[in-house]
Amino acid sequence: MTKELYYSSINELNELYINKKTSPTEVTKVFLERIKKHDSDLNSFINVYENDAIEDAKEAEKYISNKNENKLIGIPIGLKDLVDVKGKITTAGSKILEGNIADKNAKITEDFINSKSVILGKTNLVEFAFGTLGINTTTKTCRNPWNMAKVPGGSSSGSAVSVSSGLTTFAIGTDTGGSVRMPASLCGITGFKPTYGAVSRVGVKDLSWTMDHVGPMARSAEDCLEVMKVISGHDARDKYSIDLSKDRFNIEKSIDREKIKIGIPKQYFFDDVDSQILNRVNKSIEIFKDLGYKLVEVDLPFVSSGRNINVGVLIPEAISIHRQFLKKSELYTKTVINRLLGGIGVTADEYLDASRAMSAFNYQMSAKMKDIDALLTPTVPVIAPNIEDSYDPNTLEANSMGRFTGVFNLTGQPSISIPCGLTNENLPVGLMISGKLKEDNKILNIAIDFQNNTDFNNSIPKF
Amino acid sequence: MQDNSSEKELFKKLLENKNIKLSEKDFNQSYMTYLNFRKIYSSIKEHKFDNFEPRQRNFGE
């Protein structure tokens, strides 16, 4: 019974609550016990709000009803420690923000409070979300529950690890070049980056205002969809917010597969990829074919420049945001200060060039996407390296991890990473599905269909 | 791109202007990152984007 609870889906827990088989308080206690038992090894939480969580769970019990469409009542959640919770410290995983108490809730925090979700605490991350592997020497690097010697991926490392190891039902991450999808891939969970602007960034610490996205991380695409129902919607305080309203997120009972055209890129996404990753992704492509989806090869000759443009826009924005802190360079972790300092000296001309190249890139991608509904690719090209080999900021893995994910931060397209198998060393492999702008619901439903017909997302790490 | 020694001097000056002092090891690692970023901006210059304004995503689809 206990095992079922901590790996249960949002809908399963909701049903158990309605049928009075368990309660939010009981479930919250199970998670808090597990955090106590396992998190001194995993390091997935920076702060745990034990008393508040119990109080919130008791409060949530008053709202359980089969008439309530909100499925997040009494569901435990972890928030990446970039997300403000009023009266609590937001550290961004950095010594620089030690003691930084938020005076307001982030918009998504308000959404979760209004939904009567139970915030268990703040999850670990790469300092200021600026890294791909999950290394953080200030907060202690999270351990990948599939192999404790391996990196969990970053930057939403703690969110991925806590979901993967059954320390929370779902978590929130942020994604500037792949920081939801990369750790989701490495930790064997599902991570969804919505269309740019679909989730408000208000009260979430910025890394790059052009590239930042906020998204859910869970054990299934269905859970991600349930979270999107609660956190999507226009927010006038976020200049780039779009109106992708909650009623646009629905689980489709049946999918007309033969009408869905899925593109397999001819270039870039299958080059220089680890052979085991390639093998698992290719097998998944076959599964899509067998399910009846229409698969076509897509010519994307321009796409190899995407990651460079993503980085070219991101770096000067990150430096601008960090200008106030750079004089305290000794307080940063080595890997992050290295990246920030490596970017000093970028000129206004170069930033504008990168921003205009972004538009040219997006114009081409937009034209290609007119004929197809989704692209299938690997999430990352490399297998998780050992933590002890990953402190140098310029390793091959650090530099290549975001090669595929960053393309969709540039375009702003919805993009999801779902598990698609394990390597011979028992490490998870991720498959990325990316769709047209604002077609988040379609991408989530394609992922749900795949997960309903396979068992990859039910694999559980032994730690 | 300038030759390596003048690039290195330029990077040193950029750090000095911001009053940032690094150990030799940290300097060398940051310099390597700096060179990687320089390559990225050189490659971006080669793109054709004359007809585009900055940071557009939506092209009316």
Side-chain angles (χ1 to χ4, degrees):
Chain A
M1 180 66 175
T2 307
K3 189 178 178 204
E4 282 174 22
L5 286 180
Y6 59 77
Y7 277 132
S8 293
S9 71
I10 291 171
N11 281 318
E12 284 164 350
L13 284 178
N14 192 256
E15 212 171 303
L16 290 170
Y17 292 162
I18 288 169
N19 295 325
K20 301 198 183 308
K21 297 272 170 63
T22 186
S23 68
T25 307
E26 192 181 323
V27 169
T28 300
K29 284 179 180 170
V30 167
F31 280 111
L32 290 171
E33 278 305 310
R34 278 184 66 76
I35 291 169
K36 267 188 198 151
K37 189 175 173 192
H38 297 292
D39 212 42
S40 52
D41 294 328
L42 292 166
N43 304 320
S44 69
F45 278 88
I46 288 179
N47 272 307
V48 178
Y49 308 147
E50 189 171 348
N51 294 336
D52 293 337
I54 295 288
E55 287 306 309
D56 290 349
K58 283 180 185 164
E59 173 73 9
E61 285 171 14
K62 298 176 192 163
Y63 295 85
I64 302 291
S65 156
N66 57 2
K67 288 175 188 149
N68 204 327
E69 284 185 14
N70 168 22
K71 301 285 176 64
L72 297 195
I73 299 172
I75 304 293
I77 165 184
L79 296 174
K80 185 176 183 177
D81 198 18
L82 290 178
V83 180
D84 282 344
V85 176
K86 188 179 175 183
K88 306 288 186 193
I89 295 170
T90 306
T91 68
S94 178
K95 282 182 187 164
I96 289 169
L97 293 186
E98 266 177 4
N100 169 51
I101 296 174
D103 58 2
K104 283 182 190 154
N105 282 323
K107 192 270 186 182
I108 56 165
T109 305
E110 282 294 324
D111 290 335
F112 291 126
I113 290 171
N114 293 337
S115 295
K116 304 297 172 193
S117 309
V118 178
I119 300 173
L120 294 175
K122 296 287 197 73
T123 55
N124 202 350
L125 68 163
V126 177
E127 184 181 35
F128 289 108
F130 205 4
T132 58
L133 299 182
I135 299 294
N136 189 331
T137 49
T138 291
T139 59
K140 280 196 193 169
T141 298
C142 293
R143 304 269 160 182
N144 189 323
W146 289 87
N147 179 334
M148 301 287 252
K150 300 286 180 184
V151 301
S155 65
S156 310
S157 47
S159 294
V161 171
S162 60
V163 172
S164 177
S165 52
L167 305 190
T168 184
T169 304
F170 75 96
I172 286 295
T174 62
D175 192 316
T176 307
S179 286
V180 160
R181 292 159 291 159
M182 293 183 291
S185 173
L186 268 55
C187 291
I189 64 161
T190 300
F192 179 59
K193 181 197 82 65
T195 293
Y196 179 76
V199 176
S200 170
R201 296 174 299 115
V202 168
V204 182
K205 295 256 168 301
D206 283 326
L207 175 59
S208 156
W209 51 84
T210 302
M211 298 296 167
D212 288 347
H213 299 62
V214 179
M217 303 169 80
R219 293 187 40 77
S220 69
E222 190 174 314
D223 278 0
C224 288
L225 188 144
E226 291 298 343
V227 179
M228 285 303 295
K229 282 183 187 172
V230 168
I231 63 174
S232 64
H234 183 252
D235 180 1
R237 298 167 300 167
D238 179 348
K239 185 183 169 191
Y240 302 114
S241 176
I242 60 165
D243 189 14
L244 205 60
S245 52
K246 300 172 198 328
D247 56 8
R248 288 177 64 164
F249 290 94
N250 297 295
I251 297 170
E252 288 172 15
K253 289 200 173 74
S254 67
I255 288 193
D256 212 349
R257 292 173 184 149
E258 65 271 21
K259 286 191 179 157
I260 294 179
K261 213 177 190 184
I262 293 184
I264 312 298
K266 280 187 196 169
Q267 298 91 351
Y268 186 63
F269 289 102
F270 293 86
D271 300 336
D272 301 320
V273 177
D274 177 273
S275 61
Q276 292 195 63
I277 295 176
L278 213 51
N279 173 280
R280 306 311 182 264
V281 169
N282 282 332
K283 281 185 178 162
S284 298
I285 291 171
E286 287 304 311
I287 293 172
F288 274 97
K289 209 171 173 180
D290 293 343
L291 285 171
Y293 286 91
K294 195 172 176 188
L295 266 59
V296 290
E297 280 199 308
V298 190
D299 202 19
L300 301 173
F302 57 92
V303 83
S304 61
S305 61
R307 176 59 171 165
N308 275 357
I309 302 170
N310 167 235
V311 173
V313 174
L314 184 165
I315 293 296
E317 292 185 358
I319 290 169
S320 173
I321 288 163
H322 281 262
R323 185 172 297 133
Q324 56 182 319
F325 304 131
L326 281 180
K327 59 187 85 145
K328 299 178 189 170
S329 63
E330 72 285 356
L331 294 181
Y332 282 92
T333 58
K334 295 274 184 199
T335 48
V336 169
I337 193 63
N338 172 283
R339 281 202 187 94
L340 285 167
L341 295 182
I344 62 173
V346 177
T347 65
D349 271 354
E350 286 171 332
Y351 176 48
L352 282 170
D353 283 355
S355 297
R356 294 178 76 191
M358 168 180 167
S359 305
F361 184 95
N362 290 343
Y363 177 77
Q364 293 176 87
M365 184 64 98
S366 181
K368 288 290 177 187
M369 292 303 295
K370 273 185 184 141
D371 297 330
I372 49 171
D373 296 292
L375 293 169
L376 277 191
T377 64
T379 306
V380 300
V382 287
I383 288 176
N386 287 328
I387 291 173
E388 66 173 17
D389 299 330
S390 302
Y391 291 102
D392 184 322
N394 287 303
T395 64
L396 169 77
E397 288 86 358
N399 287 333
S400 57
M401 193 66 80
R403 195 145 60 87
F404 304 151
T405 49
V407 168
F408 302 104
N409 294 79
L410 186 64
T411 62
Q413 292 166 257
S415 184
I416 192 166
S417 178
I418 58 176
C420 71
L422 299 170
T423 65
N424 300 340
E425 299 77 29
N426 226 32
L427 291 171
V429 176
L431 171 76
M432 189 159 62
I433 313 172
S434 308
K436 289 179 184 173
L437 288 173
K438 298 187 183 178
E439 292 199 351
D440 300 47
N441 195 55
K442 185 183 277 184
I443 292 310
L444 284 163
N445 273 285
I446 292 171
I448 290 169
D449 191 33
F450 180 81
Q451 290 184 334
N452 284 343
N453 286 282
T454 57
D455 210 24
F456 300 122
N457 66 311
N458 294 321
S459 298
I460 292 167
K462 294 184 183 107
F463 58 93
Chain B
M1 191 180 283
Q2 300 165 58
D3 66 63
N4 267 357
S5 58
S6 56
E7 270 297 341
K8 207 167 196 167
E9 279 308 306
L10 181 60
F11 182 57
K12 222 179 245 177
K13 274 194 183 137
L14 286 166
L15 292 176
E16 279 169 13
N17 288 344
K18 292 191 183 298
N19 288 321
I20 295 167
K21 286 177 188 156
L22 298 176
S23 68
E24 194 181 342
K25 188 183 170 198
D26 290 342
F27 175 85
N28 287 335
Q29 284 191 331
S30 292
Y31 178 60
M32 201 194 278
T33 307
Y34 171 81
L35 288 181
N36 284 341
F37 289 152
R38 289 294 92 216
K39 274 185 210 157
I40 284 175
Y41 287 104
S42 297
S43 78
I44 289 171
K45 272 198 180 80
E46 289 163 18
H47 288 259
K48 287 179 185 162
F49 44 76
D50 287 349
N51 298 323
F52 293 92
E53 292 182 359
R55 75 184 304 285
Q56 275 181 271
R57 284 194 169 102
N58 199 323
F59 288 90
E61 67 275 11

